[in-house]
Amino acid sequence: MSTSKRERERARLREQKWTRRQADARARRRRVWTIAAAVSGVAVLAGVTALAVSANAPDATYTLPPAAAAEDREWTGELRTSAGDVAFTLDGQAAPQAVANFVSLARAGFFDDTDCHRLTTANIFVLQCGDPTGTGTGGPGYTFGPVENTPEDGFFPAGTIAMARAQSTDSQGSQFFLVYEDSTLPTNTGGYTVFGKITSGLDVVRAVADAGTADGAVDGSPATPVTIEGVETQ
């Protein structure tokens, strides 16, 4: 099978996986709604924190939590992937909205069974994840901004965890990137939110990078597939 055919097949399989996950999520939300209505008679499920998925309607979607949900503190966690585990800390003081968003999605299982879809191996050195469609255009159904805690000089040291975005600084959603080697990103486009750092497992990301991209280009899907199996935060 040619490289282009393999890429199309991988994209088709990712799309199928995303479709199944969306159907499962809708079914779970309907069950939650039924239980909540039966128990309380209102559209609010008791005990759900600010960092949980909104369940205020049968077809509810993911909802951006308030920045205050980051609790102005450091969070710890682990990204479990098919390539190995990556431990991290999140800075809820410097980037409260991004941290609240990440923790909310992680606790909702949003990242589970999603692939890290992009690897760059020249000029900037990052592995990008968090897109449930695996296409680079997916997200949680909302965007937010502006950016927080962006380096003025554009320098992102190895181990940095930052939010990916489109052209607008208000286009952050669920996608994030792991910096595996020191990188300098443009500063004239608004910057990128730094919200965490890798504390162990950087070698896992570097091993993925060493294998390069699927088609040998400097920017593309990683040759070593990386699937997020789960994300823990505390």
Side-chain angles (χ1 to χ4, degrees):
M1 185 182 293
S2 66
T3 298
S4 60
K5 287 182 179 179
R6 286 196 299 269
E7 286 297 298
R8 287 196 295 271
E9 179 64 13
R10 290 181 64 182
R12 185 183 68 81
L13 293 174
R14 286 195 296 265
E15 186 67 26
Q16 287 182 342
K17 181 189 294 184
W18 171 237
T19 300
R20 289 194 300 269
R21 291 185 67 244
Q22 286 290 81
D24 290 344
R26 285 194 294 270
R28 286 195 300 271
R29 287 194 291 269
R30 289 189 182 98
R31 289 195 295 270
V32 169
W33 170 256
T34 301
I35 295 170
V39 172
S40 63
V42 296
V44 177
L45 181 60
V48 175
T49 68
L51 289 174
V53 175
S54 172
N56 58 2
D59 293 319
T61 56
Y62 298 95
T63 301
L64 179 68
E71 300 179 6
D72 195 29
R73 68 176 176 91
E74 181 179 89
W75 295 71
T76 60
E78 186 174 67
L79 193 70
R80 300 191 308 276
T81 82
S82 57
D85 296 339
V86 177
F88 57 79
T89 59
L90 305 176
D91 193 340
Q93 184 175 49
Q97 187 61 81
V99 170
N101 176 68
F102 184 86
V103 172
S104 172
L105 293 176
R107 289 185 169 181
F110 178 88
F111 299 116
D112 297 1
D113 301 317
T114 62
D115 296 331
C116 294
H117 63 280
R118 182 186 184 195
L119 175 71
T120 61
T121 60
N123 300 319
I124 60 173
F125 307 95
V126 305
L127 177 66
Q128 190 165 324
C129 313
D131 176 1
T133 70
T135 64
T137 61
Y142 60 78
T143 58
F144 67 93
V147 297
E148 308 166 282
N149 192 39
T150 185
E152 292 185 1
D153 59 0
F155 180 66
F156 291 69
T160 297
I161 304 176
M163 291 297 299
R165 60 175 177 81
Q167 186 173 2
S168 168
T169 55
D170 292 329
S171 61
Q172 300 169 109
S174 59
Q175 295 187 45
F176 61 94
F177 58 88
L178 310 174
V179 182
Y180 62 89
E181 298 292 351
D182 292 352
S183 301
T184 299
L185 279 67
T187 58
N188 60 351
T189 59
Y192 298 85
T193 297
V194 173
F195 69 98
K197 64 180 180 181
I198 295 172
T199 55
S200 68
L202 185 57
D203 58 320
V204 171
V205 186
R206 285 175 170 163
V208 172
D210 288 344
T213 62
D215 62 2
V218 298
D219 189 339
S221 59
T224 301
V226 183
T227 300
I228 297 176
E229 298 170 346
V231 183
E232 296 179 0
T233 59
Q234 57 184 355

